[in-house]
């Protein structure tokens, strides 16, 4: 046997990126166990299934989702009907990375959200074109299949906007998020118009934080306050594809006070709408 097998054995198969959904982790464990039980290297399995060694390795490490065509070939090689194709179908039910799932669950049942963002317009407010442009610009680059999966998950979250009973939704957007030309002029024009439409919702409040504001309570970064019927008020912090839900009262109260200060420092909802309208007129 060549060093190829030894090289793979030296890798730690349990080291997953935190973005990897639980279903992919289970899948990779099953796939690796079957391959090693058959005493095959990733290259040998790839040859039998008609795929490259790198594709096999990427799936085993959770770096790429399992496609249906590979799933079918794996079932043929290992003689395990529906073991892999059923997982591909289940992946559609678990669209979010593992670190985001606790917040996604809390967000879906929230009675109130208070969101401060400084890099992008929040996902709940994004248009499909804007969200797609965000994922296209993601680095390291995502493949088309992963972009489609993440896009579908993001748009599905927006059901919260029209849910009954309606949650109270407050957003504070840094001015730069409305000026950064993600996706180009047309995408941004559509996004701004979309924000104006959302501002008409009685349960949605949008405020803009001017860049030239000297006093600023949000310099430590973005955060989201989420209130649920069962857990009460929590704070969610996210940076560089890592998220954390915090329930500790002192920390939650600090962020609640900080959000109140940010609301007083930002433009009022009425002035924010006027500012967005001004930007929209400039797009014509």
């Amino acid at each position: 046997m060549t060093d190829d097998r030894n090289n793979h054995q030296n890798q730690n198969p349990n080291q997953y990126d935190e973005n990897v959904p639980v279903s992919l982790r289970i899948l990779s464990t099953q796939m690796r166990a079957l391959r090693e039980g058959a005493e095959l290297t990733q290259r040998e399995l790839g040859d039998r299934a008609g795929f490259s060694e790198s594709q096999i390795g990427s799936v085993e490490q959770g770096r790429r989702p399992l496609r249906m065509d590979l799933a079918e070939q794996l079932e043929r090689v290992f003689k395990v009907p529906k073991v892999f194709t059923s997982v591909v179908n289940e992946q559609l039910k678990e669209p979010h990375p593992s670190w985001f799932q606790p917040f996604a669950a809390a967000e879906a049942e929230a009675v109130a959200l208070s969101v401060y963002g400084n890099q992008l317009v929040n996902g709940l407010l994004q248009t499909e074109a804007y969200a797609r442009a965000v994922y296209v610009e993601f680095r390291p680059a995502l493949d088309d299949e992963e972009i489609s999966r993440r896009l579908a998950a993001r748009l599905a979250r927006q059901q919260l906007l029209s849910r009954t009973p309606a949650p109270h939704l407050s957003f504070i957007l840094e001015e730069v998020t409305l000026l950064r030309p993600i996706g180009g002029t047309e995408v941004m024009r559509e996004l701004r118009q979309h924000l104006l439409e959302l501002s008409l919702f009685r349960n949605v409040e949008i405020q803009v934080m001017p860049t030239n504001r000297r006093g600023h309570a949000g310099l430590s970064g973005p955060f989201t306050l989420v209130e649920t019927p069962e857990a009460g008020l929590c704070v969610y912090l996210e940076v560089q594809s890592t998220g954390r839900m915090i329930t500790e009262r002192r920390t939650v109260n600090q962020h609640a006070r900080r959000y109140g200060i940010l609301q007083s420092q930002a433009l009022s909802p009425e002035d924010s709408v006027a500012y967005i309208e001004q930007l929209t007129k400039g797009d014509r």
Side-chain angles (χ1 to χ4, degrees):
M1 187 62 61
T2 67
D3 289 340
D4 177 62
R5 189 188 305 276
N6 293 330
N7 289 337
H8 290 302
Q9 288 175 343
N10 289 334
Q11 297 176 353
N12 185 349
N14 296 317
Q15 294 299 314
Y16 295 102
D17 186 291
E18 290 187 347
N19 289 319
V20 178
V22 174
S23 65
L24 283 184
R25 300 184 188 204
I26 295 173
L27 169 67
S28 67
T29 300
Q30 292 176 325
M31 182 174 171
R32 186 170 57 252
L34 287 169
R35 177 179 62 78
E36 292 176 348
E39 298 185 344
L40 296 173
T41 66
Q42 292 178 350
R43 179 178 300 168
E44 290 167 342
L45 175 57
D47 290 341
R48 294 193 183 191
F51 290 82
S52 69
E53 177 185 12
S54 64
Q55 288 174 301
I56 299 297
S58 292
V59 174
E60 284 196 5
Q61 288 298 313
R63 297 192 302 270
R64 137 181 334 196
L66 180 65
R67 291 171 43 175
M68 186 62 74
D69 52 357
L70 175 55
E72 293 171 347
Q73 290 305 310
L74 292 174
E75 291 175 352
R76 177 186 61 79
V77 171
F78 294 123
K79 296 181 172 57
V80 284
K82 298 185 178 180
V83 167
F84 292 104
T85 52
S86 62
V87 173
V88 173
N89 290 326
E90 286 299 316
Q91 285 172 347
L92 298 176
K93 303 176 184 178
E94 189 186 76
H96 301 297
S98 57
W99 57 264
F100 189 77
Q101 289 170 13
F103 173 71
E107 181 187 69
E109 62 178 19
V111 296
L113 281 179
S114 299
V115 185
Y116 166 64
N118 61 6
Q119 295 296 327
L120 299 169
V121 170
N122 185 267
L124 292 176
L125 304 178
Q126 294 177 5
T127 62
E128 180 175 350
Y130 181 91
R132 184 183 298 279
V134 169
Y135 288 130
V136 168
E137 292 300 322
F138 191 89
R139 294 296 180 272
L142 305 173
D143 60 36
D144 290 344
E145 187 173 346
E146 180 67 8
I147 289 174
S148 296
R149 187 177 70 84
R150 295 193 185 195
L151 180 61
R154 173 155 297 184
L155 296 178
R157 288 171 52 209
Q158 295 181 0
Q159 296 175 14
L160 183 68
L161 294 166
S162 55
R163 194 195 68 194
T164 302
H168 176 72
L169 304 175
S170 172
F171 301 90
I172 300 176
L173 312 177
E174 283 291 336
E175 182 180 12
V176 68
T177 64
L178 301 173
L179 301 176
R180 181 173 291 123
I182 293 176
T185 301
E186 181 59 28
V187 170
M188 291 304 299
R189 184 203 64 77
E190 180 187 28
L191 173 71
R192 293 165 187 151
Q193 184 61 46
H194 181 61
L195 293 176
L196 292 175
E197 294 170 0
L198 291 176
S199 69
L200 298 176
F201 288 27
R202 290 195 298 273
N203 64 315
V204 176
E205 187 175 85
I206 298 174
Q207 293 181 256
V208 176
M209 175 65 79
T211 301
N212 64 1
R213 187 74 82 216
R214 293 185 63 180
H216 198 310
L219 298 180
S220 57
F223 63 93
T224 298
L225 292 165
V226 53
E227 182 180 353
T228 66
E230 295 185 1
L233 191 64
C234 307
V235 62
Y236 174 68
L237 304 177
E238 179 179 323
V239 62
Q240 295 294 327
S241 298
T242 300
R244 180 185 177 197
M245 285 284 289
I246 300 175
T247 58
E248 193 267 319
R249 284 299 98 195
R250 180 180 177 183
T251 301
V252 172
N253 290 339
Q254 285 177 339
H255 282 81
R257 289 194 295 270
R258 184 172 298 155
Y259 194 83
I261 297 172
L262 284 168
Q263 285 181 302
S264 69
Q265 294 173 332
L267 297 177
S268 69
E270 295 76 16
D271 288 345
S272 296
V273 167
Y275 173 71
I276 298 173
E277 287 178 337
Q278 180 181 353
L279 290 179
T280 303
K281 291 178 181 177
D283 291 332
R284 295 172 184 171

